[in-house]
């Protein structure tokens, strides 16, 4: 009887442990648009020091699932920007037309982005496979949409487990350690931290992020991404906050 009791308790413990494990894997409904709001604050120190605040509103939808890869389309709906370059300040809001000549300078650069589409391919574990910005002439930001999701592990994990991941886009690479830290009323919480490298594999900065993940689709509901890097002799600090709603 004692052996049966011990076996029962052991089996129950195994079942409970398995039940607490989570298999992080994107399960996106197709052609169901989501609304994204990304708030970015950037501080550039150097010969051309600048402080920039930018809010981008977008519509994101998974349009295809093939060979364990999702194709996403991200269309920019609106952009608001405030820029302080020391000797001059400029503001632009695509949702509020203005005749301010300084705002028109920014408008000339920002207006071509409105309504344009960025196509991204992510595998079901959240890893960025490819981005296509052909509709946006001159788009060379190597970190665009890199923070849209965390990269998930190849096996189920429980709270406290960690895994490593790498991502590369336009010559820039991230090497991160990820950790499943909590299950809350809003979803699963994943934290990441690591380094940024250039195409020569030279370390150029650091990155730290926190993601709240939808428990059904495993797509990001909210995220905070902090980066510090050296870019062409200038120190760049960036804080990005993302909120995604149905």
């Amino acid at each position: 009887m004692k052996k049966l009791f011990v076996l029962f308790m052991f089996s129950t413990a195994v079942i409970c442990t398995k039940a607490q494990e989570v298999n992080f894997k994107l399960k996106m409904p197709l052609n169901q648009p989501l609304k994204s709001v990304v708030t970015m604050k950037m501080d550039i120190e150097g010969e051309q020091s600048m402080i920039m605040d930018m809010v981008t509103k977008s519509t994101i939808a998974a349009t295809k699932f093939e060979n364990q890869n999702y194709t996403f389309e991200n269309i920019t709906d609106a952009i608001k920007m405030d820029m302080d370059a020391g000797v001059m300040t400029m503001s632009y809001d695509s949702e509020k037309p203005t005749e301010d000549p300084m705002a028109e300078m920014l408008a000339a650069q920002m207006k071509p982005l409105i309504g344009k589409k960025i196509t991204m391919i992510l595998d079901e574990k959240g890893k960025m496979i490819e981005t296509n910005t052909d509709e946006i002439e001159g788009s060379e930001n190597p970190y665009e949409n890199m923070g849209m999701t965390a990269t998930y592990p190849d096996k189920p994990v429980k709270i406290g487990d960690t895994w490593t991941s790498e991502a590369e886009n336009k010559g820039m690479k991230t090497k991160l350690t990820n950790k499943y830290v909590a299950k809350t009323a809003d979803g699963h919480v994943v934290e990441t931290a690591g380094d940024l490298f250039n195409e020569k594999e030279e370390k150029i900065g650091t990155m730290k992020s926190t993601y709240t993940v939808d428990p059904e689709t495993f797509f990001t509901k909210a995220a905070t991404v902090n980066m510090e890097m050296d870019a062409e002799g200038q120190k760049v600090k960036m804080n990005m906050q993302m909120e995604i709603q149905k």
Side-chain angles (χ1 to χ4, degrees), residues 10-245:
F10 176 75
S11 300
T12 302
V14 171
I15 292 171
C16 289
T17 300
K18 290 294 184 182
Q20 292 172 355
E21 290 185 335
V22 177
N23 186 16
F24 284 86
K25 183 167 66 173
L26 293 176
K27 300 176 182 178
M28 298 297 296
L30 298 182
N31 300 310
Q32 293 189 19
L34 302 171
K35 292 296 182 180
S36 166
V37 178
V38 176
T39 302
M40 184 179 71
K41 296 182 179 293
M42 183 178 293
D43 187 347
I44 301 174
E45 296 180 3
E47 291 185 5
Q48 297 179 342
S49 296
M50 180 176 65
I51 298 173
M52 183 176 70
D53 294 342
M54 185 173 178
V55 179
T56 304
K57 298 178 181 179
S58 304
T59 300
I60 301 172
T63 59
K64 183 169 65 174
F65 181 63
E66 186 176 50
N67 298 324
Q68 284 71 55
N69 292 335
Y70 282 95
T71 298
F72 286 86
E73 292 184 354
N74 184 345
I75 297 176
T76 302
D77 299 320
I79 297 174
K80 183 179 184 298
M81 177 184 288
D82 295 302
M83 189 171 69
D84 184 348
V87 295
M88 64 177 179
T89 60
M90 293 183 283
S91 296
Y92 167 72
D93 189 341
S94 65
E95 296 180 305
K96 296 180 180 179
T98 179
E99 295 182 359
D100 177 34
M102 300 300 286
E104 286 298 320
M105 291 177 62
L106 284 178
Q109 299 180 42
M110 298 296 109
K111 279 183 178 179
L113 305 179
I114 307 299
K116 293 300 190 300
K117 178 173 64 180
I118 298 174
T119 302
M120 299 159 287
I121 298 177
L122 279 69
D123 70 14
E124 60 185 0
K125 289 297 184 176
K127 183 178 180 180
M128 181 73 72
I129 305 298
E130 180 183 330
T131 61
N132 186 327
T133 58
D134 288 347
E135 286 195 11
I136 306 176
E137 185 177 353
S139 177
E140 293 295 338
N141 179 4
Y143 292 103
E144 59 199 352
N145 298 291
M146 259 185 132
M148 195 166 66
T149 71
T151 300
Y152 300 137
D154 294 330
K155 61 182 180 180
V157 292
K158 60 184 181 299
I159 292 175
D161 285 349
T162 63
W163 64 96
T164 59
S165 61
E166 293 186 10
E168 187 171 0
N169 191 19
K170 297 182 181 178
M172 296 294 181
K173 179 183 290 186
T174 60
K175 297 181 180 180
L176 304 173
T177 297
N178 311 273
K179 184 177 182 179
Y180 176 27
V181 297
K183 172 68 167 71
T184 70
D186 291 327
H188 304 290
V189 180
V190 175
E191 293 181 350
T192 74
D195 299 320
L196 311 176
F197 298 84
N198 62 19
E199 57 188 2
K200 297 179 180 179
E201 292 290 336
E202 298 168 333
K203 180 180 174 180
I204 59 172
T206 60
M207 177 178 177
K208 187 175 182 179
S209 312
T210 301
Y211 296 87
T212 300
V213 179
D214 186 281
E216 295 182 2
T217 66
F218 292 94
F219 196 67
T220 301
K221 293 178 66 177
T224 300
V225 180
N226 291 289
M227 292 184 186
E228 293 188 14
M229 68 185 107
D230 292 324
E232 298 180 356
Q234 300 187 107
K235 292 185 177 180
V236 180
K237 293 182 180 180
M238 188 183 77
N239 172 272
M240 184 176 72
Q241 295 184 346
M242 178 187 301
E243 293 185 4
I244 297 178
Q245 298 179 345

